Amino acid sequence: MSIPDETLMAFADGTLPEAEAMRVVAAIEADPALAERVALLAEGREALRGAFAGVLAEAPPARLLAAAGGTAPPARPAGAVPAAGNDNAPPRWRVAAWAAAASLVLGVMLGTQVPRAPAPGGLLSPAVLAALEGSATGAPGPVQVSGTHVAEGGLVCRAFAAPEEGGTLLGLACREPAGWRLRAAVARGPGSGFQPASGTDPLIAEVLERLGAGPALAAEEEAAARRRGWRAP
Amino acid sequence: MPSSFQADLVALLPRLRRFARALAGDPDTADDLVQGACERALRAQDSFAPGTRFDSWMFRILRNLWLDSHRRRAARGGSHETLEAAESIPGAAGAEATIGRVALREAEAALLRLPEEQREALVLTCIEEFTYAEAAALLGLPPGTVMSRVARGRIALARMLRGDGEAEAP
């Protein structure tokens, strides 16, 4: 009795309907060659369990993160992400993890992934809060604001850069009725030194885009927003 | 309208790299494929139909790129099988450098020695865990064809790993 390999494979996978499976069992008992074939089919699949899984745990190289994030010049679709003026050390895997997280839980801080979250509970350190509240874009200081944007519903958001452990923490905070709330943070790893934001980080830009934010406000618009206490116009 | 396209693409990178590694063997060739696929996808993102599977769409782009590069190499001379066998050896060595466990390493090397059509069908169903129907749609083949390729590939792989010699004739 001959049974096609496809049927034997379904049997080996346990996906064959019961009546048919019983028929295969009977055939296997009568024909050791069929039993051997089922064993090979099962072994073939089992052997591949976990194959090439090592690559899943590796941090993708920077060139791939750039290609996927659209920051490589030829790959950027028109109007998708504003120019990233940040050409320091390439983002590390943690940064990409943030991008992935941002697609799922925008606006939720993954506290454990933020190195030394500035103030437990509040998440924004007094220095960052002071800069968000009082500093104009580009004004010198330990914490620098790199842009003010108006998101959907008139929500005012500000991107900033704060030094940490030889690197930089880039963040985006929005002024909600209760106060400033951190919406995204990206760590630029140690070694790159403190880089006052010279442009918008691609991932901060991504979050801004999801918030429906427009381009950075001009100085006089920003001053007007500041006079309104950073509330919606 | 904000798009999650790029974030989805970044999140898919590890699986794209695994798929490319299983197709190409050599890590650098594999990452070149992934990079090419990302660039092509970003240019073609308007052609992605929302509501359909993004991973299938990306895997198809990557596999088409792989086929293109294969055809170019085949056109430069030599039969497909010969090229394949020749290319699979450095590929297996590349895999060896990153995977510690011997059995897995042997399985990976054996996979890279399978004919292309069996290998991609195996990779999609046994490693990437697409269903036969999903793999068939991705490859543009009837499900029955994919199933028979997977079955042949699984038997050939098991025979190689048992040391029974080369894959049986298709």
mmCIF file of all heavy atoms in Angstrom, chain A residues 73-126:
data_model
loop_
_atom_site.group_PDB
_atom_site.id
_atom_site.type_symbol
_atom_site.label_atom_id
_atom_site.label_comp_id
_atom_site.label_asym_id
_atom_site.label_seq_id
_atom_site.Cartn_x
_atom_site.Cartn_y
_atom_site.Cartn_z
ATOM 1 N N PRO A 73 20.272 57.726 2.793
ATOM 2 C CA PRO A 73 19.727 58.692 1.856
ATOM 3 C C PRO A 73 18.902 58.104 0.705
ATOM 4 O O PRO A 73 17.796 58.558 0.470
ATOM 5 C CB PRO A 73 20.973 59.422 1.346
ATOM 6 C CG PRO A 73 21.962 59.248 2.446
ATOM 7 C CD PRO A 73 21.661 57.940 3.088
ATOM 8 N N PRO A 74 19.364 57.047 0.001
ATOM 9 C CA PRO A 74 18.585 56.611 -1.145
ATOM 10 C C PRO A 74 17.274 55.943 -0.757
ATOM 11 O O PRO A 74 16.383 55.824 -1.561
ATOM 12 C CB PRO A 74 19.503 55.597 -1.847
ATOM 13 C CG PRO A 74 20.543 55.244 -0.856
ATOM 14 C CD PRO A 74 20.551 56.268 0.213
ATOM 15 N N ALA A 75 17.193 55.510 0.495
ATOM 16 C CA ALA A 75 16.028 54.723 0.868
ATOM 17 C C ALA A 75 14.900 55.571 1.444
ATOM 18 O O ALA A 75 13.810 55.084 1.653
ATOM 19 C CB ALA A 75 16.434 53.667 1.890
ATOM 20 N N ARG A 76 15.159 56.842 1.704
ATOM 21 C CA ARG A 76 14.144 57.630 2.373
ATOM 22 C C ARG A 76 12.954 57.945 1.476
ATOM 23 O O ARG A 76 13.114 58.535 0.425
ATOM 24 C CB ARG A 76 14.727 58.942 2.864
ATOM 25 C CG ARG A 76 13.705 59.746 3.637
ATOM 26 C CD ARG A 76 14.313 61.010 4.025
ATOM 27 N NE ARG A 76 15.696 60.652 4.401
ATOM 28 C CZ ARG A 76 16.301 61.131 5.437
ATOM 29 N NH1 ARG A 76 15.706 61.947 6.184
ATOM 30 N NH2 ARG A 76 17.520 60.786 5.712
ATOM 31 N N PRO A 77 11.769 57.541 1.864
ATOM 32 C CA PRO A 77 10.610 57.890 1.064
ATOM 33 C C PRO A 77 10.287 59.376 1.259
ATOM 34 O O PRO A 77 10.502 59.910 2.339
ATOM 35 C CB PRO A 77 9.505 57.015 1.640
ATOM 36 C CG PRO A 77 9.951 56.690 3.029
ATOM 37 C CD PRO A 77 11.444 56.768 3.061
ATOM 38 N N ALA A 78 9.805 59.999 0.236
ATOM 39 C CA ALA A 78 9.537 61.433 0.296
ATOM 40 C C ALA A 78 8.601 61.752 1.438
ATOM 41 O O ALA A 78 7.544 61.141 1.594
ATOM 42 C CB ALA A 78 8.946 61.896 -1.027
ATOM 43 N N GLY A 79 9.021 62.699 2.271
ATOM 44 C CA GLY A 79 8.130 63.213 3.302
ATOM 45 C C GLY A 79 7.844 62.286 4.466
ATOM 46 O O GLY A 79 6.972 62.557 5.257
ATOM 47 N N ALA A 80 8.561 61.193 4.585
ATOM 48 C CA ALA A 80 8.223 60.263 5.660
ATOM 49 C C ALA A 80 8.835 60.682 6.988
ATOM 50 O O ALA A 80 8.151 60.799 7.972
ATOM 51 C CB ALA A 80 8.672 58.853 5.320
ATOM 52 N N VAL A 81 10.115 60.928 6.976
ATOM 53 C CA VAL A 81 10.792 61.281 8.218
ATOM 54 C C VAL A 81 11.653 62.504 7.947
ATOM 55 O O VAL A 81 12.384 62.536 6.969
ATOM 56 C CB VAL A 81 11.695 60.099 8.673
ATOM 57 C CG1 VAL A 81 12.531 60.516 9.870
ATOM 58 C CG2 VAL A 81 10.844 58.897 9.028
ATOM 59 N N PRO A 82 11.566 63.489 8.800
ATOM 60 C CA PRO A 82 12.392 64.679 8.584
ATOM 61 C C PRO A 82 13.870 64.322 8.661
ATOM 62 O O PRO A 82 14.231 63.341 9.295
ATOM 63 C CB PRO A 82 12.001 65.591 9.745
ATOM 64 C CG PRO A 82 10.958 64.909 10.531
ATOM 65 C CD PRO A 82 10.749 63.542 9.995
ATOM 66 N N ALA A 83 14.659 65.139 8.042
ATOM 67 C CA ALA A 83 16.090 64.868 8.006
ATOM 68 C C ALA A 83 16.643 64.682 9.402
ATOM 69 O O ALA A 83 16.321 65.426 10.319
ATOM 70 C CB ALA A 83 16.824 66.018 7.322
ATOM 71 N N ALA A 84 17.447 63.681 9.566
ATOM 72 C CA ALA A 84 18.083 63.455 10.841
ATOM 73 C C ALA A 84 19.450 64.096 10.787
ATOM 74 O O ALA A 84 20.339 63.615 10.125
ATOM 75 C CB ALA A 84 18.205 61.962 11.111
ATOM 76 N N GLY A 85 19.621 65.191 11.465
ATOM 77 C CA GLY A 85 20.889 65.896 11.407
ATOM 78 C C GLY A 85 21.911 65.297 12.345
ATOM 79 O O GLY A 85 22.903 65.902 12.668
ATOM 80 N N ASN A 86 21.623 64.104 12.804
ATOM 81 C CA ASN A 86 22.463 63.509 13.813
ATOM 82 C C ASN A 86 23.347 62.450 13.192
ATOM 83 O O ASN A 86 22.927 61.348 12.916
ATOM 84 C CB ASN A 86 21.549 62.868 14.868
ATOM 85 C CG ASN A 86 22.299 62.640 16.144
ATOM 86 O OD1 ASN A 86 23.511 62.499 16.124
ATOM 87 N ND2 ASN A 86 21.585 62.583 17.251
ATOM 88 N N ASP A 87 24.597 62.791 12.964
ATOM 89 C CA ASP A 87 25.455 61.787 12.337
ATOM 90 C C ASP A 87 26.545 61.329 13.289
ATOM 91 O O ASP A 87 27.665 61.095 12.923
ATOM 92 C CB ASP A 87 26.039 62.310 11.017
ATOM 93 C CG ASP A 87 26.654 63.685 11.196
ATOM 94 O OD1 ASP A 87 26.685 64.161 12.341
ATOM 95 O OD2 ASP A 87 27.104 64.270 10.200
ATOM 96 N N ASN A 88 26.192 61.212 14.575
ATOM 97 C CA ASN A 88 27.175 60.694 15.524
ATOM 98 C C ASN A 88 27.209 59.183 15.403
ATOM 99 O O ASN A 88 26.755 58.598 14.455
ATOM 100 C CB ASN A 88 26.848 61.007 16.986
ATOM 101 C CG ASN A 88 25.690 61.889 17.138
ATOM 102 O OD1 ASN A 88 25.448 62.672 16.269
ATOM 103 N ND2 ASN A 88 24.948 61.775 18.223
ATOM 104 N N ALA A 89 27.740 58.589 16.457
ATOM 105 C CA ALA A 89 27.860 57.139 16.510
ATOM 106 C C ALA A 89 26.531 56.504 16.132
ATOM 107 O O ALA A 89 25.471 57.028 16.467
ATOM 108 C CB ALA A 89 28.244 56.729 17.930
ATOM 109 N N PRO A 90 26.589 55.386 15.434
ATOM 110 C CA PRO A 90 25.350 54.751 14.997
ATOM 111 C C PRO A 90 24.510 54.329 16.196
ATOM 112 O O PRO A 90 25.048 54.021 17.260
ATOM 113 C CB PRO A 90 25.848 53.517 14.228
ATOM 114 C CG PRO A 90 27.266 53.327 14.634
ATOM 115 C CD PRO A 90 27.776 54.670 15.029
ATOM 116 N N PRO A 91 23.216 54.330 16.042
ATOM 117 C CA PRO A 91 22.364 53.938 17.158
ATOM 118 C C PRO A 91 22.628 52.487 17.535
ATOM 119 O O PRO A 91 23.004 51.697 16.705
ATOM 120 C CB PRO A 91 20.955 54.096 16.611
ATOM 121 C CG PRO A 91 21.108 54.164 15.138
ATOM 122 C CD PRO A 91 22.468 54.642 14.856
ATOM 123 N N ARG A 92 22.466 52.175 18.772
ATOM 124 C CA ARG A 92 22.706 50.813 19.208
ATOM 125 C C ARG A 92 21.402 50.050 19.193
ATOM 126 O O ARG A 92 20.357 50.599 18.946
ATOM 127 C CB ARG A 92 23.329 50.839 20.595
ATOM 128 C CG ARG A 92 24.640 51.596 20.566
ATOM 129 C CD ARG A 92 25.000 52.051 21.933
ATOM 130 N NE ARG A 92 25.520 50.948 22.711
ATOM 131 C CZ ARG A 92 25.532 50.949 24.025
ATOM 132 N NH1 ARG A 92 25.038 51.944 24.685
ATOM 133 N NH2 ARG A 92 26.038 49.936 24.674
ATOM 134 N N TRP A 93 21.509 48.756 19.471
ATOM 135 C CA TRP A 93 20.329 47.893 19.345
ATOM 136 C C TRP A 93 19.210 48.369 20.254
ATOM 137 O O TRP A 93 18.048 48.321 19.915
ATOM 138 C CB TRP A 93 20.706 46.454 19.641
ATOM 139 C CG TRP A 93 19.536 45.536 19.664
ATOM 140 C CD1 TRP A 93 19.217 44.643 20.634
ATOM 141 C CD2 TRP A 93 18.516 45.417 18.662
ATOM 142 N NE1 TRP A 93 18.087 43.981 20.293
ATOM 143 C CE2 TRP A 93 17.618 44.440 19.109
ATOM 144 C CE3 TRP A 93 18.256 46.060 17.455
ATOM 145 C CZ2 TRP A 93 16.495 44.069 18.374
ATOM 146 C CZ3 TRP A 93 17.135 45.700 16.729
ATOM 147 C CH2 TRP A 93 16.265 44.714 17.185
ATOM 148 N N ARG A 94 19.586 48.871 21.407
ATOM 149 C CA ARG A 94 18.582 49.365 22.338
ATOM 150 C C ARG A 94 17.697 50.411 21.666
ATOM 151 O O ARG A 94 16.499 50.490 21.895
ATOM 152 C CB ARG A 94 19.306 49.977 23.532
ATOM 153 C CG ARG A 94 18.401 50.395 24.634
ATOM 154 C CD ARG A 94 19.183 50.668 25.874
ATOM 155 N NE ARG A 94 20.274 51.604 25.649
ATOM 156 C CZ ARG A 94 21.052 52.047 26.622
ATOM 157 N NH1 ARG A 94 20.871 51.633 27.839
ATOM 158 N NH2 ARG A 94 22.007 52.891 26.364
ATOM 159 N N VAL A 95 18.311 51.191 20.826
ATOM 160 C CA VAL A 95 17.568 52.231 20.130
ATOM 161 C C VAL A 95 16.534 51.610 19.199
ATOM 162 O O VAL A 95 15.390 52.032 19.133
ATOM 163 C CB VAL A 95 18.540 53.124 19.335
ATOM 164 C CG1 VAL A 95 17.761 54.108 18.500
ATOM 165 C CG2 VAL A 95 19.482 53.835 20.285
ATOM 166 N N ALA A 96 16.949 50.558 18.507
ATOM 167 C CA ALA A 96 16.009 49.902 17.604
ATOM 168 C C ALA A 96 14.878 49.259 18.395
ATOM 169 O O ALA A 96 13.726 49.255 17.973
ATOM 170 C CB ALA A 96 16.727 48.850 16.770
ATOM 171 N N ALA A 97 15.238 48.733 19.564
ATOM 172 C CA ALA A 97 14.205 48.136 20.396
ATOM 173 C C ALA A 97 13.175 49.193 20.753
ATOM 174 O O ALA A 97 11.983 48.929 20.808
ATOM 175 C CB ALA A 97 14.823 47.550 21.669
ATOM 176 N N TRP A 98 13.667 50.401 20.947
ATOM 177 C CA TRP A 98 12.747 51.491 21.226
ATOM 178 C C TRP A 98 11.826 51.752 20.067
ATOM 179 O O TRP A 98 10.655 52.001 20.226
ATOM 180 C CB TRP A 98 13.522 52.755 21.543
ATOM 181 C CG TRP A 98 13.694 52.897 23.000
ATOM 182 C CD1 TRP A 98 14.779 52.569 23.736
ATOM 183 C CD2 TRP A 98 12.708 53.351 23.915
ATOM 184 N NE1 TRP A 98 14.539 52.796 25.049
ATOM 185 C CE2 TRP A 98 13.290 53.274 25.203
ATOM 186 C CE3 TRP A 98 11.397 53.800 23.783
ATOM 187 C CZ2 TRP A 98 12.586 53.640 26.331
ATOM 188 C CZ3 TRP A 98 10.706 54.171 24.911
ATOM 189 C CH2 TRP A 98 11.303 54.083 26.168
ATOM 190 N N ALA A 99 12.359 51.693 18.889
ATOM 191 C CA ALA A 99 11.532 51.933 17.714
ATOM 192 C C ALA A 99 10.442 50.884 17.646
ATOM 193 O O ALA A 99 9.289 51.184 17.372
ATOM 194 C CB ALA A 99 12.375 51.890 16.446
ATOM 195 N N ALA A 100 10.831 49.642 17.907
ATOM 196 C CA ALA A 100 9.849 48.568 17.856
ATOM 197 C C ALA A 100 8.798 48.796 18.932
ATOM 198 O O ALA A 100 7.603 48.658 18.701
ATOM 199 C CB ALA A 100 10.537 47.225 18.054
ATOM 200 N N ALA A 101 9.279 49.171 20.111
ATOM 201 C CA ALA A 101 8.346 49.393 21.209
ATOM 202 C C ALA A 101 7.411 50.549 20.887
ATOM 203 O O ALA A 101 6.232 50.509 21.174
ATOM 204 C CB ALA A 101 9.116 49.668 22.498
ATOM 205 N N ALA A 102 7.953 51.561 20.239
ATOM 206 C CA ALA A 102 7.151 52.729 19.934
ATOM 207 C C ALA A 102 5.979 52.369 19.038
ATOM 208 O O ALA A 102 4.919 52.968 19.110
ATOM 209 C CB ALA A 102 8.017 53.795 19.262
ATOM 210 N N SER A 103 6.163 51.356 18.199
ATOM 211 C CA SER A 103 5.080 50.998 17.296
ATOM 212 C C SER A 103 3.951 50.320 18.051
ATOM 213 O O SER A 103 2.833 50.257 17.599
ATOM 214 C CB SER A 103 5.606 50.090 16.187
ATOM 215 O OG SER A 103 5.901 48.817 16.716
ATOM 216 N N LEU A 104 4.256 49.786 19.198
ATOM 217 C CA LEU A 104 3.246 49.051 19.945
ATOM 218 C C LEU A 104 2.630 49.901 21.043
ATOM 219 O O LEU A 104 1.425 49.934 21.213
ATOM 220 C CB LEU A 104 3.877 47.818 20.584
ATOM 221 C CG LEU A 104 4.459 46.817 19.594
ATOM 222 C CD1 LEU A 104 5.212 45.724 20.322
ATOM 223 C CD2 LEU A 104 3.344 46.212 18.758
ATOM 224 N N VAL A 105 3.469 50.564 21.782
ATOM 225 C CA VAL A 105 2.977 51.260 22.961
ATOM 226 C C VAL A 105 3.497 52.684 22.955
ATOM 227 O O VAL A 105 4.267 53.077 23.803
ATOM 228 C CB VAL A 105 3.402 50.546 24.251
ATOM 229 C CG1 VAL A 105 2.538 49.332 24.471
ATOM 230 C CG2 VAL A 105 4.860 50.145 24.209
ATOM 231 N N LEU A 106 3.095 53.415 21.984
ATOM 232 C CA LEU A 106 3.530 54.788 21.886
ATOM 233 C C LEU A 106 3.164 55.551 23.139
ATOM 234 O O LEU A 106 2.052 55.481 23.624
ATOM 235 C CB LEU A 106 2.856 55.438 20.670
ATOM 236 C CG LEU A 106 3.107 56.927 20.559
ATOM 237 C CD1 LEU A 106 4.559 57.194 20.234
ATOM 238 C CD2 LEU A 106 2.205 57.527 19.517
ATOM 239 N N GLY A 107 4.114 56.247 23.640
ATOM 240 C CA GLY A 107 3.816 57.101 24.778
ATOM 241 C C GLY A 107 3.935 56.397 26.102
ATOM 242 O O GLY A 107 3.835 57.003 27.142
ATOM 243 N N VAL A 108 4.160 55.119 26.100
ATOM 244 C CA VAL A 108 4.349 54.412 27.352
ATOM 245 C C VAL A 108 5.838 54.286 27.600
ATOM 246 O O VAL A 108 6.576 53.789 26.776
ATOM 247 C CB VAL A 108 3.712 53.014 27.284
ATOM 248 C CG1 VAL A 108 4.000 52.244 28.559
ATOM 249 C CG2 VAL A 108 2.214 53.151 27.072
ATOM 250 N N MET A 109 6.286 54.751 28.718
ATOM 251 C CA MET A 109 7.696 54.639 29.033
ATOM 252 C C MET A 109 8.014 53.217 29.440
ATOM 253 O O MET A 109 7.381 52.658 30.308
ATOM 254 C CB MET A 109 8.026 55.549 30.219
ATOM 255 C CG MET A 109 8.318 56.967 29.828
ATOM 256 S SD MET A 109 9.792 57.049 28.826
ATOM 257 C CE MET A 109 10.983 56.456 30.008
ATOM 258 N N LEU A 110 9.013 52.632 28.792
ATOM 259 C CA LEU A 110 9.493 51.335 29.252
ATOM 260 C C LEU A 110 10.602 51.641 30.237
ATOM 261 O O LEU A 110 11.772 51.659 29.892
ATOM 262 C CB LEU A 110 9.991 50.502 28.085
ATOM 263 C CG LEU A 110 8.919 50.186 27.050
ATOM 264 C CD1 LEU A 110 9.460 49.245 25.999
ATOM 265 C CD2 LEU A 110 7.700 49.573 27.706
ATOM 266 N N GLY A 111 10.233 51.905 31.457
ATOM 267 C CA GLY A 111 11.165 52.402 32.460
ATOM 268 C C GLY A 111 12.439 51.593 32.589
ATOM 269 O O GLY A 111 13.521 52.135 32.703
ATOM 270 N N THR A 112 12.329 50.274 32.506
ATOM 271 C CA THR A 112 13.509 49.445 32.715
ATOM 272 C C THR A 112 14.502 49.584 31.586
ATOM 273 O O THR A 112 15.657 49.244 31.730
ATOM 274 C CB THR A 112 13.109 47.963 32.818
ATOM 275 O OG1 THR A 112 12.374 47.632 31.640
ATOM 276 C CG2 THR A 112 12.259 47.707 34.036
ATOM 277 N N GLN A 113 14.048 50.049 30.437
ATOM 278 C CA GLN A 113 14.966 50.148 29.311
ATOM 279 C C GLN A 113 15.647 51.503 29.247
ATOM 280 O O GLN A 113 16.526 51.708 28.445
ATOM 281 C CB GLN A 113 14.224 49.912 27.996
ATOM 282 C CG GLN A 113 13.757 48.482 27.874
ATOM 283 C CD GLN A 113 13.289 48.170 26.484
ATOM 284 O OE1 GLN A 113 13.668 48.828 25.540
ATOM 285 N NE2 GLN A 113 12.456 47.168 26.356
ATOM 286 N N VAL A 114 15.204 52.403 30.091
ATOM 287 C CA VAL A 114 15.841 53.712 30.068
ATOM 288 C C VAL A 114 16.976 53.702 31.073
ATOM 289 O O VAL A 114 16.766 53.422 32.240
ATOM 290 C CB VAL A 114 14.846 54.818 30.459
ATOM 291 C CG1 VAL A 114 15.531 56.166 30.413
ATOM 292 C CG2 VAL A 114 13.662 54.780 29.535
ATOM 293 N N PRO A 115 18.185 53.949 30.610
ATOM 294 C CA PRO A 115 19.296 53.942 31.553
ATOM 295 C C PRO A 115 19.106 55.080 32.538
ATOM 296 O O PRO A 115 18.869 56.216 32.132
ATOM 297 C CB PRO A 115 20.516 54.176 30.661
ATOM 298 C CG PRO A 115 19.976 54.816 29.424
ATOM 299 C CD PRO A 115 18.563 54.355 29.272
ATOM 300 N N ARG A 116 19.198 54.757 33.794
ATOM 301 C CA ARG A 116 19.101 55.765 34.842
ATOM 302 C C ARG A 116 17.994 56.763 34.572
ATOM 303 O O ARG A 116 18.226 57.942 34.382
ATOM 304 C CB ARG A 116 20.436 56.503 34.985
ATOM 305 C CG ARG A 116 21.554 55.586 35.468
ATOM 306 C CD ARG A 116 22.884 56.286 35.465
ATOM 307 N NE ARG A 116 22.843 57.509 36.218
ATOM 308 C CZ ARG A 116 23.347 58.647 35.781
ATOM 309 N NH1 ARG A 116 23.862 58.718 34.588
ATOM 310 N NH2 ARG A 116 23.309 59.715 36.531
ATOM 311 N N ALA A 117 16.777 56.282 34.540
ATOM 312 C CA ALA A 117 15.637 57.169 34.356
ATOM 313 C C ALA A 117 15.793 58.320 35.339
ATOM 314 O O ALA A 117 15.979 58.085 36.528
ATOM 315 C CB ALA A 117 14.340 56.413 34.632
ATOM 316 N N PRO A 118 15.776 59.537 34.841
ATOM 317 C CA PRO A 118 16.211 60.693 35.639
ATOM 318 C C PRO A 118 15.681 60.750 37.064
ATOM 319 O O PRO A 118 16.470 60.854 37.977
ATOM 320 C CB PRO A 118 15.711 61.872 34.805
ATOM 321 C CG PRO A 118 15.669 61.354 33.405
ATOM 322 C CD PRO A 118 15.325 59.892 33.516
ATOM 323 N N ALA A 119 14.387 60.681 37.260
ATOM 324 C CA ALA A 119 13.875 60.717 38.613
ATOM 325 C C ALA A 119 12.849 59.619 38.754
ATOM 326 O O ALA A 119 11.887 59.607 38.015
ATOM 327 C CB ALA A 119 13.246 62.082 38.921
ATOM 328 N N PRO A 120 13.069 58.705 39.674
ATOM 329 C CA PRO A 120 12.106 57.604 39.828
ATOM 330 C C PRO A 120 10.713 58.173 40.051
ATOM 331 O O PRO A 120 10.538 59.070 40.868
ATOM 332 C CB PRO A 120 12.600 56.862 41.067
ATOM 333 C CG PRO A 120 14.020 57.286 41.256
ATOM 334 C CD PRO A 120 14.129 58.666 40.672
ATOM 335 N N GLY A 121 9.769 57.651 39.347
ATOM 336 C CA GLY A 121 8.415 58.166 39.491
ATOM 337 C C GLY A 121 8.148 59.244 38.483
ATOM 338 O O GLY A 121 7.366 59.093 37.562
ATOM 339 N N GLY A 122 8.856 60.334 38.612
ATOM 340 C CA GLY A 122 8.592 61.444 37.712
ATOM 341 C C GLY A 122 9.203 61.253 36.340
ATOM 342 O O GLY A 122 8.689 61.755 35.378
ATOM 343 N N LEU A 123 10.279 60.502 36.247
ATOM 344 C CA LEU A 123 10.975 60.219 35.003
ATOM 345 C C LEU A 123 11.689 61.415 34.397
ATOM 346 O O LEU A 123 12.674 61.264 33.714
ATOM 347 C CB LEU A 123 10.055 59.593 33.952
ATOM 348 C CG LEU A 123 9.629 58.148 34.236
ATOM 349 C CD1 LEU A 123 8.586 57.699 33.226
ATOM 350 C CD2 LEU A 123 10.815 57.205 34.229
ATOM 351 N N LEU A 124 11.208 62.594 34.638
ATOM 352 C CA LEU A 124 11.888 63.779 34.104
ATOM 353 C C LEU A 124 12.608 64.469 35.262
ATOM 354 O O LEU A 124 12.003 64.788 36.282
ATOM 355 C CB LEU A 124 10.871 64.736 33.475
ATOM 356 C CG LEU A 124 10.257 64.236 32.155
ATOM 357 C CD1 LEU A 124 9.023 65.043 31.791
ATOM 358 C CD2 LEU A 124 11.289 64.291 31.038
ATOM 359 N N SER A 125 13.896 64.673 35.074
ATOM 360 C CA SER A 125 14.681 65.290 36.154
ATOM 361 C C SER A 125 14.339 66.770 36.251
ATOM 362 O O SER A 125 13.826 67.361 35.302
ATOM 363 C CB SER A 125 16.167 65.125 35.867
ATOM 364 O OG SER A 125 16.521 65.964 34.776
ATOM 365 N N PRO A 126 14.624 67.393 37.390
ATOM 366 C CA PRO A 126 14.359 68.829 37.536
ATOM 367 C C PRO A 126 15.044 69.642 36.445
ATOM 368 O O PRO A 126 14.472 70.621 35.938
ATOM 369 C CB PRO A 126 14.942 69.149 38.910
ATOM 370 C CG PRO A 126 14.919 67.849 39.658
ATOM 371 C CD PRO A 126 15.113 66.774 38.628
#
